[in-house]
Every structure is written in structure tokens, then in C-alpha cells.
Amino acid sequence: MTDQNQRNKATALTLWAALDRDPESAVALLPALEGWHGPAPVGMQGTADGIIGALFAPLRAAIPDLRRQTHIFMGGASSAHESDEGDGAHWVAGTGYYTGRATGGVFGIPATGHDLRIRWGEFLRFDEAGNITYAQTIWDFVDWFDQIGFPALPRPRGAAHVYPAPTAYDGVLTAVQLEADSMKSMTLGRALIFGGLNSFDENDLTSMGMARFFHPNVKWYGPGGIGACLSLAEFETRHQQPWLTAFPDRKVMHLESLFAEDRMVAASGPKGVVGTHGGTYLGHAATGAPIEVSGLDFWLRTGEQFTENWVFVDMVHLFQQMGVDLFARMQVHA
């Protein structure tokens, strides 16, 4: 399994280098691709040509000096089912940001001359032969809108534009890691996801027991519109309480991946959380609409708790389900 993980990580790095250099050249590296789930409004694309033409090539054309920075890079075998039976899938994931200055419009976003830091997260699934068969990508469009002065949501309760690399830790895991450390991280991650996050009694935050999983000084790096929370107290008051008020019945249901390597844990799924829009959220009144949350997560374990959490939510997709077009809101400002 170690050899397989190392091979998959090498393939992922080769793919990313091709996408950064010449997106069209990456088509040849994806002969077994069955689907690639991009961020809204791109959505699911069934072919390599489709996802590269819809997502990666337009970004590269609009930002000629585009550079990828990778803050976290990891892989492993997934155990995404609550039963803990393992699902047999092998994944590689990464996050960081793209830097550059747009010289042309892209996805309906105008070129403004701003120096950009576009936050990205990506999960790649591999078959036994080492081919990429499926992927999920989220780019933080809401934060991008805010950077260029065209906000689509109210000012976040948390700190805006805060999404650093792991503090005092190398999160780019290109070398083989100790299996015992990975298993310890996976155990904590499963307890958080299938225990704490799914334990809300719809009345009291303490029912979730988050203090067991998160250090008091945890750094929680949320998406544009939510912002970063720089302690457990901030996380509970600035994100968790408003989120649970808005979606009180929400539940982790359909994760596609959950894996660990060394002190890092990662999870993904376009429908990873389901619920009902039952309360006001970021100024938008309850609609009663069913919602599916497309998200990606990375956690850093230090000792017996998580000390950092990088969180991606496809906010454009989330608000679409609540009847709000965030791209249209941005374009009104533009």
C-alpha cells in the first residue's frame, strides 16, 4: 500500500505540473477519467477535455503569470463509511493557492489588475493500476470576489483572506510516513466526523463535544463568506452556531473520501453534508429548501487533538440551492 500511495502521489504531481504549464497537455494523463466535479458553476464534467476546457484552461488564459503554491499534499486509502469497513479507494489531495494577476475576464469575473491569491483544494481518486478515475476541485470564488472589491456576501464574521500553510509543520508529504501516526490521525478524524459532527441535538453546542477534538487555540480556516476562526471559542460563536441555526438537521452523510497520512486527515464529497435551510444564513432568510454541501476538509493533528482545519465549502453551489446567484451579485458590483 505504501508503494501504491507513493506512485499515486507522483502521478498527481505530474498532472498538476502539466495543468500549470499547459492545461491541454494534461488530457493525455487522464485516459481512465470517469468524471471530474468542478466548483459551481462548472459542475460535473465527464471527460478530461471537458474539465480542462471548462476550468483549468480558462484560468490559465486569463492569468498568464499563474503560479500554484501547495501547502498540503497527502494521500492514502479511504475509509469514508460510518461502518468503518473501508471503501477500498485510494486518493491524493492537496490545497494551497494560485497567485497571479488577471489580464482578462474569466467565468464572468472581470480583470481588475489586483494581485490575486485564489484558494484551491483538489482530491484525486485512483484505481489499482494507478490511473486517475475521478476528482473533485473547489476554488474559493467568493473570496476572489471579495479580493477584487465585488463582494457577493456580507462581511464574514471570521477573519477574511486567512488560509496559511500548516503552522510549524511541513504539510507537503512527498516521503513515506509512519503508518502508526497515520492510523492515530485516522482514528481521531473518524471520531470527529461520525461522532462529534453528527452529535448535535439541535439545542446545545456542547452535545457535539468539540472541545474533545479541537484544541482551545485551534485555527479554523473557512471559505469566503465565513472567514477564519482563530480559537475554539471563535469557531463556536462565529461559524458553528450560525451554521447550525441555519441548518439544524444537517448531517455528514455521503463522504466520498476520508483518509490520513502522518498527522494530516482529509475528507471530501460533493454531497458530504445534507440538511434543510431552516434558519437565516449570512443575511438570507430560511427557505425550507433541502441542501447538499459540497466540501473539502484538511485537519492537522497535534498530539491528541486537531490544531488546524482547512475548510472548503462551495458557497456558490450552496447559495444556488437557496435561490441566490452569487455570480450575479458579484456582477452587479462589477
Side-chain angles (χ1 to χ4, degrees):
M1 187 174 296
T2 297
D3 290 344
Q4 186 174 9
N5 189 42
Q6 290 300 106
R7 178 196 63 190
N8 292 346
K9 289 193 291 185
T11 299
L13 291 176
T14 299
L15 174 67
W16 289 347
L19 288 172
D20 295 348
R21 180 182 64 254
D22 175 15
E24 285 79 5
S25 71
V27 172
L29 302 175
L30 298 165
L33 186 70
E34 299 168 358
W36 193 306
H37 200 286
V42 172
M44 176 63 78
Q45 300 291 322
T47 65
D49 284 311
I51 191 64
I52 288 168
L55 190 64
F56 294 101
L59 183 73
R60 188 71 178 82
I63 308 177
D65 63 342
L66 188 72
R67 295 290 183 272
R68 182 195 301 261
Q69 294 191 18
T70 302
H71 297 162
I72 296 172
F73 176 67
M74 58 183 292
S78 175
S79 179
H81 298 161
E82 192 168 0
S83 65
D84 197 21
E85 294 179 354
D87 49 47
H90 296 268
W91 293 78
V92 172
T95 184
Y97 49 73
Y98 293 108
T99 63
R101 180 175 294 188
T103 60
V106 61
F107 313 122
I109 307 170
T112 60
H114 287 72
D115 291 322
L116 299 170
R117 291 189 300 168
I118 304 166
R119 194 182 188 210
W120 65 270
E122 193 157 286
F123 281 61
L124 307 170
R125 189 181 70 203
F126 290 77
D127 63 18
E128 293 297 322
N131 296 305
I132 297 168
T133 59
Y134 170 80
Q136 182 184 359
T137 299
I138 295 180
W139 293 346
D140 196 337
F141 282 125
V142 171
D143 187 79
W144 184 346
F145 300 162
D146 199 39
Q147 288 181 48
I148 61 175
F150 303 144
L153 287 172
R155 183 174 179 177
R157 294 182 177 93
H161 317 306
V162 177
Y163 30 80
T167 305
Y169 177 76
D170 185 358
V172 180
L173 305 180
T174 53
V176 175
Q177 306 298 317
L178 293 176
E179 183 66 18
D181 289 334
S182 300
M183 289 302 298
K184 187 173 183 178
S185 299
M186 177 65 99
T187 298
L188 184 62
R190 288 187 58 82
L192 167 66
I193 290 171
F194 297 119
L197 293 182
N198 278 349
S199 298
F200 181 48
D201 64 7
E202 300 191 25
N203 293 299
D204 189 347
L205 289 178
T206 61
S207 63
M208 304 177 73
M210 296 305 291
R212 170 188 168 195
F213 305 106
F214 280 174
H215 189 277
N217 291 323
V218 68
K219 306 298 183 286
W220 187 92
Y221 308 120
I226 299 176
C229 303
L230 306 181
S231 69
L232 177 57
E234 286 192 10
F235 166 76
E236 290 181 332
T237 59
R238 298 186 183 185
H239 167 63
Q240 191 177 31
Q241 190 167 13
W243 181 263
L244 294 175
T245 297
F247 313 109
D249 62 345
R250 70 95 186 91
K251 188 175 179 64
V252 179
M253 289 283 288
H254 306 298
L255 287 181
E256 291 187 336
S257 75
L258 172 59
F259 56 99
E261 188 171 21
D262 195 43
R263 290 167 51 196
M264 301 298 308
V265 180
S268 67
K271 302 178 182 180
V273 175
V274 298
T276 306
H277 181 210
T280 299
Y281 190 60
L282 304 186
H284 190 55
T287 61
I291 57 99
E292 297 171 341
V293 181
S294 180
L296 312 173
D297 264 282
F298 299 85
W299 297 266
L300 172 63
R301 176 184 60 80
T302 303
E304 305 301 322
Q305 293 178 302
F306 290 122
T307 51
E308 293 184 86
N309 184 189
W310 294 258
V311 181
F312 286 79
V313 174
D314 190 336
M315 299 292 276
V316 174
H317 176 254
L318 176 63
F319 272 80
Q320 279 178 343
Q321 298 168 81
M322 294 151 55
V324 179
D325 184 337
L326 296 185
F327 269 82
R329 281 190 177 182
M330 175 274 297
Q331 288 163 355
V332 166
H333 291 290

